[in-house]
Amino acid sequence: MLYPLLFETNLFPIVWGGRRLREMKGMSPIDEPVGESWEVSAVPGKESVVVNGPLTGRNLRELTQEYGADLLGKAVQERFGSEFPMLVKFIDAESDLSIQVHPDDDMARREHDKMGKSEMWYVLDAEPGAYIYAGFKDLLTDEQYKQKVADGTITDALARHEVKSGDVFYIPAGRVHAICGGILLAEIQQ
């Protein structure tokens, strides 16, 4: 019988990371910057591992395959099979992350045999003046886009959004985006 599962801490040191995640989790600080804490993951090699009850030591990928609809729900299993369809994490961006665009389901399946990647961000904390990029300010031609990438001025064309605690952003697959420095957020991604 399934029960509420608790998972091991799953931290990822990253050069742009900060020091707030260890503090948030009640852990001793270290000098190494931590950028991400994966809370719920079935990503191969980075799975959440159960730390309570009779399923201790089992990972979420195994449990999804074994328990199917009992763990995922019938509608989710019908849509995604035995593949856990999301990743939940905290991100502490002390400095800017790269500018990114993620594929939708069709392209991701065709090119990488994976699911696409839409994201939702909930801003937990933000330094004054902190911002994200999401989308373009104006339409660009292919040539204008290539030129801005080549000359390093692409951020001039991106829509910049100042953030504060409590803000929520939906970043659908295909939308250019970047989390910039001074932001602590929760991310739920496909």
Side-chain angles (χ1 to χ4, degrees), residues 84-188:
F84 194 83
M86 68 178 174
L87 169 63
V88 179
K89 60 175 135 174
F90 293 112
I91 296 176
D92 181 9
E94 188 167 295
S95 16
D96 298 353
L97 280 69
S98 61
I99 298 169
Q100 304 174 16
V101 178
H102 303 302
D104 63 15
D105 286 337
D106 291 338
M107 181 182 195
R109 288 277 183 217
R110 184 179 66 247
E111 300 293 327
H112 307 288
D113 195 30
K114 295 184 178 185
M115 288 188 288
K117 188 174 169 186
S118 292
E119 301 174 344
M120 189 283 306
W121 299 337
Y122 176 79
V123 179
L124 298 166
D125 190 37
E127 295 175 5
Y131 58 92
I132 65 159
Y133 291 115
F136 287 96
K137 288 191 273 190
D138 299 303
L139 291 177
L140 299 175
T141 66
D142 290 350
E143 288 307 313
Q144 289 172 318
Y145 174 80
K146 289 176 188 174
Q147 182 61 46
K148 288 191 172 298
V149 170
D151 66 21
T153 62
I154 191 64
T155 57
D156 295 344
L158 299 180
R160 179 178 161 154
H161 308 274
E162 283 204 20
V163 302
K164 64 184 179 327
S165 296
D167 285 350
V168 177
F169 295 90
Y170 173 62
I171 310 294
R175 179 172 294 161
V176 64
H177 63 278
I179 300 167
C180 298
I183 299 173
L184 176 67
L185 59 79
E187 176 180 286
I188 299 172

Side-chain angles (χ1 to χ4, degrees), residues 9-52:
T9 299
N10 202 3
L11 300 177
F12 293 90
I14 300 176
V15 67
W16 46 257
R19 290 169 177 67
R20 295 184 281 187
L21 291 175
R22 290 183 64 86
E23 179 182 333
M24 184 175 90
K25 293 182 156 295
M27 301 171 73
S28 300
I30 59 172
D31 287 336
E32 186 174 40
V34 175
E36 297 186 356
S37 175
W38 289 22
E39 303 303 309
V40 181
S41 169
V43 174
K46 299 176 181 175
E47 297 94 344
S48 295
V49 176
V50 178
V51 295
N52 67 316

